[in-house]
Amino acid sequence: MSNQDIFLEQALLEEEQITTVELDTVRRHALECKVDLVDALIACDVISARDIALAKAGICEAPYVEIGQYEPTFANTQLLPRAAAEQFRMFPLFKIDDVLTLAMDDPLNLEAMDQARLYAQCEVDAVLCDRVQLDAVIGRAYRLSQIGTPVVEVESAPEEEAPAEASQPVVAAVNQMLMDACAQGASDVHINPDQNELRLRFRVDGILYEQQGPPLSMHLGIVQRLKVMANLDLTQTRRPQDGKFRFDYKNEPIDVRMSTLPTVCGENVVLRVLSGTQTPLDFHELGVPAHMCEALDELIARPYGMLLVTGPTGCGKTTTLYAVLQKLNDPCRNIMTIEDPVEIRLPYLRQIQVHAEIGLTFASALRSIVRQDPDVILVGEIRDNETATIALQAALTGHLVLATLHTNDAAGAVARLRDYNLPPFVINSAVLAVVAQRLVRRVCEHCVVPDTIDDLIRHRFALDPDETDFVRGKGCPRCGHTGYRGRVGLFELLNFTPSMQVLVEQGGSTKKIRERAAREGMRQMWQDGLEKARLGQTTLQEIAKVSAVLAVGTSQRRRKSA
């Protein structure tokens, strides 16, 4: 056992971070597995890697840094060979004024420091960091920084043959991007070539974050590799293409939808990442307010009619509908769905994937479904007159129909159905209610601090001057220093009451429908969001991004009526 290990044991015992019994267990593990004390401590899970690093920093009298707070410059891997980085557990963080700062597991390792000076040809300075995080950075950095080219270069002409296989560095870079996207919980991966740089961005919790990725020289090989995986035409570079593929992440199948689009700088690629084993959430997990849960339970208990869920792309409409299906799903009901794509799998459901290229569209599949004796039908999206007409007819003929529309709010669904030339009496007879929703980011529970509300936001939401019970996330490694982790829904529910049906029959505008619904007790999305902000689930800034209705306007009307 090294002197440093002995000092580390003493420091951990003195600070009561481990017990003598735990230390005996760790020592036995180190002997049996032939690993050092730090690896044994981590493996036995008696103390976190961060706490170990902090204790070592005190012993070594070296500064401790959270390497997770840095965005390492992967180009610095050219300063230090991978073999040396892995052997001595060190990584070049940054270089300032001919001094290279190394993130190290052992800053007292003089041999490692000498090797780093030799390779970098400059003076080096060492900081200590978490071993687990350091190993992860080293592995990721050197995989992404390997500059490889395809086996055969492709000329600019679009119809020339391209290689069917990519080199190992390209394969490794693609695999690493996909692994990183899954590890960060990204819903989309954007691979954007610029004139002098290849930009890599992940969409996490609805926001795009730039990542350090491969160099521009690997762009062609990466696109070709992805095309091979998605079974796309390698020779076609001047027309958009769509495809899909599947890979495994931690023994879980992940489905990816791929879209390519030619730009002046090369093919732009966007990957939509979908978990193949995604399970539906319940209303509570989605953030549906209690009063609305009761109303939805009453609505879906009806034997026929249509429930619409509206909102922009990516706002969680399908997730909400599957929360409904989970409540309805049992052997006594025949539930059939038409989707593009099928994202969530449930037993008993007969799920149909749209294939427009062979003529299997929402409308054609819906015509066939109604002859399959369904009790409940889910239509992934109403996007044309034919689909809308058949769906509403199904709702009028003894089926419970669940469907989505793209509108800004619940009241806007009526105008959208009118755009499909559906008469008011059909809308009134078929539609039970409309749910509108948005997703906002949750405050990270690990870095919550009180929030200071500026005057503009306070005025917009008509807050009292003494109302200060709001929070935000200050940012920490667990949330990527954004202050947010995960998302929660904002909801509003428009019921087709008798008076609402009269207004629809009269051709009332979206504004009049919204005002009537508010008078009848509909809580609008911004009101649901304000309540969630008061509960510490999100921030007023997040609500302001998605709320189209100003609370101050409601406040002014309230004062006038008073």
Side-chain angles (χ1 to χ4, degrees):
M1 181 179 291
S2 68
N3 289 335
Q4 188 179 120
D5 285 351
I6 294 173
F7 292 143
L8 179 59
E9 286 184 357
Q10 293 174 348
L12 295 177
L13 287 170
E14 288 173 2
E15 294 174 10
E16 298 183 349
Q17 297 203 45
I18 61 171
T19 65
T20 54
V21 175
E22 290 172 334
L23 183 56
D24 288 341
T25 302
V26 169
R27 286 169 174 167
R28 286 196 299 271
H29 180 88
L31 288 172
E32 291 171 2
C33 299
K34 297 181 180 179
V35 296
D36 67 7
L37 178 65
V38 174
D39 280 341
L41 286 166
I42 295 171
C44 292
D45 197 25
V46 296
I47 184 174
S48 70
R50 181 179 184 276
D51 288 337
I52 296 171
L54 287 170
K56 287 177 65 177
I59 296 169
C60 300
E61 296 183 351
Y64 168 79
V65 301
E66 288 274 6
I67 196 171
Q69 295 183 2
Y70 289 83
E71 186 64 35
T73 303
F74 293 157
N76 285 351
T77 55
Q78 305 303 310
L79 301 173
L80 189 68
R82 180 171 187 167
E86 290 178 341
Q87 177 186 353
F88 297 111
R89 276 196 167 108
M90 57 184 179
F91 183 79
L93 277 182
F94 50 83
K95 185 177 180 181
I96 300 176
D97 295 335
D98 206 36
V99 176
L100 179 65
T101 297
L102 287 172
M104 299 186 70
D105 175 64
D106 182 8
L108 298 182
N109 190 328
L110 299 181
E111 181 185 358
M113 299 282 281
D114 289 340
Q115 288 289 325
R117 288 190 190 95
L118 179 64
Y119 285 117
Q121 293 295 301
C122 67
E123 189 54 50
V124 296
D125 192 13
V127 295
L128 191 144
C129 62
D130 179 327
R131 175 180 290 191
V132 174
Q133 292 185 3
L134 179 59
D135 286 346
V137 168
I138 291 171
R140 178 170 180 258
Y142 284 92
R143 280 193 291 269
L144 284 179
S145 63
Q146 294 181 71
I147 301 178
T149 54
V151 178
V152 181
E153 290 290 343
V154 180
E155 301 295 333
S156 57
E159 301 302 327
E160 300 234 359
E161 289 193 3
E165 297 182 358
S167 64
Q168 277 303 114
V170 170
V171 173
V174 169
N175 290 344
Q176 188 62 48
M177 281 191 291
L178 294 173
M179 295 299 111
D180 288 346
C182 292
Q184 295 185 35
S187 61
D188 301 87
V189 176
H190 291 241
I191 304 170
N192 314 132
D194 281 348
Q195 188 170 358
N196 301 311
E197 186 176 358
L198 180 60
R199 300 191 183 277
L200 175 65
R201 294 183 293 172
F202 293 167
R203 188 177 295 279
V204 181
D205 293 337
I207 306 295
L208 279 173
Y209 295 99
E210 193 154 12
Q211 311 287 315
Q212 287 214 43
L216 182 61
S217 59
M218 294 185 73
H219 171 245
L220 181 60
I222 287 171
V223 174
Q224 290 170 348
R225 170 61 179 167
L226 289 169
K227 283 184 175 181
V228 169
M229 296 171 70
N231 197 27
L232 298 181
D233 186 354
L234 295 177
T235 66
Q236 185 55 259
T237 63
R238 292 186 180 176
R239 292 178 184 173
Q241 295 191 70
D242 295 311
K244 58 186 178 180
F245 61 88
R246 173 176 287 188
F247 70 98
D248 288 336
Y249 175 72
K250 293 184 177 179
N251 298 319
E252 176 184 331
I254 305 294
D255 291 315
V256 178
R257 284 189 292 166
M258 175 177 171
S259 172
T260 69
L261 187 70
T263 71
V264 292
C265 295
E267 287 186 276
N268 196 74
V269 178
V270 176
L271 307 174
R272 170 62 59 88
V273 183
L274 305 166
S275 173
T277 59
Q278 185 178 353
T279 56
L281 305 175
D282 60 30
F283 288 159
H284 176 72
E285 292 171 313
L286 293 174
V288 179
H291 74 279
M292 192 169 158
C293 290
E294 296 176 3
L296 286 173
D297 285 339
E298 292 179 5
L299 288 167
I300 64 178
R302 301 186 187 185
Y304 58 86
M306 175 181 283
L307 175 64
L308 287 169
V309 179
T310 73
T313 300
C315 73
K317 299 186 296 294
T318 300
T319 305
T320 298
L321 287 180
Y322 265 87
V324 173
L325 289 184
Q326 185 171 233
K327 283 178 170 286
L328 295 173
N329 191 25
D330 64 53
C332 300
R333 287 191 179 93
N334 181 19
I335 301 176
M336 306 196 73
T337 77
I338 316 161
E339 303 170 73
D340 185 21
V342 176
E343 298 180 20
I344 302 174
R345 309 292 174 88
L346 282 179
Y348 296 113
L349 268 62
R350 303 298 88 202
Q351 298 170 286
I352 300 169
Q353 169 73 55
V354 168
H355 290 289
E357 62 274 11
I358 62 171
L360 185 60
T361 63
F362 281 106
S364 64
L366 192 51
R367 279 196 298 269
S368 298
I369 276 181
V370 294
R371 295 191 290 270
Q372 289 277 315
D373 187 30
D375 297 298
V376 180
I377 301 172
L378 184 149
V379 183
E381 182 182 347
I382 293 179
R383 59 176 63 163
D384 54 53
N385 172 269
E386 186 178 11
T387 305
T389 300
I390 300 171
L392 266 72
Q393 286 175 348
L396 291 171
T397 54
H399 307 93
L400 181 62
V401 179
L402 312 174
T404 72
L405 275 177
H406 287 284
T407 65
N408 289 324
D409 58 12
V414 176
R416 180 55 53 86
L417 292 175
R418 288 173 181 157
D419 291 342
Y420 294 139
N421 299 317
L422 295 169
F425 75 90
V426 173
I427 297 173
N428 280 334
S429 300
V431 179
L432 301 174
V434 182
V435 175
Q437 68 180 74
R438 294 288 192 282
L439 291 177
V440 294
R441 291 181 293 173
R442 284 184 183 269
V443 173
C444 175
E445 61 183 17
H446 301 287
C447 58
V448 176
V449 295
D451 195 10
T452 301
I453 308 301
D454 62 47
D455 292 339
L456 181 61
I457 293 292
R458 187 175 293 279
H459 178 66
R460 178 172 186 177
F461 288 93
L463 300 177
D464 294 332
D466 58 347
E467 190 171 4
T468 59
D469 295 333
F470 297 99
V471 299
R472 65 178 177 86
K474 68 177 181 180
C476 68
R478 297 195 187 189
C479 62
H481 305 282
T482 64
Y484 298 96
R485 189 176 184 183
R487 290 192 285 180
V488 65
L490 307 185
F491 299 88
E492 65 184 25
L493 174 64
L494 186 150
N495 273 301
F496 271 60
T497 61
S499 62
M500 187 63 68
Q501 291 175 337
V502 170
L503 185 57
V504 172
E505 185 70 35
Q506 294 171 348
S509 66
T510 297
K511 181 181 178 182
K512 289 183 178 179
I513 291 173
R514 185 187 302 116
E515 291 173 348
R516 174 69 60 83
R519 287 197 299 271
E520 292 183 351
M522 181 184 80
R523 291 182 60 188
Q524 298 177 61
M525 278 187 287
W526 69 264
Q527 293 172 309
D528 185 33
L530 180 57
E531 182 63 26
K532 287 181 167 71
R534 285 172 173 149
L535 294 173
Q537 296 178 10
T538 188
T539 63
L540 294 177
Q541 289 77 10
E542 278 293 293
I543 303 163
K545 291 179 183 178
V546 302
S547 175
V549 181
L550 298 181
V552 67
T554 303
S555 176
Q556 289 171 346
R557 289 194 296 271
R558 188 165 56 243
R559 287 196 294 269
K560 287 180 181 179
S561 63

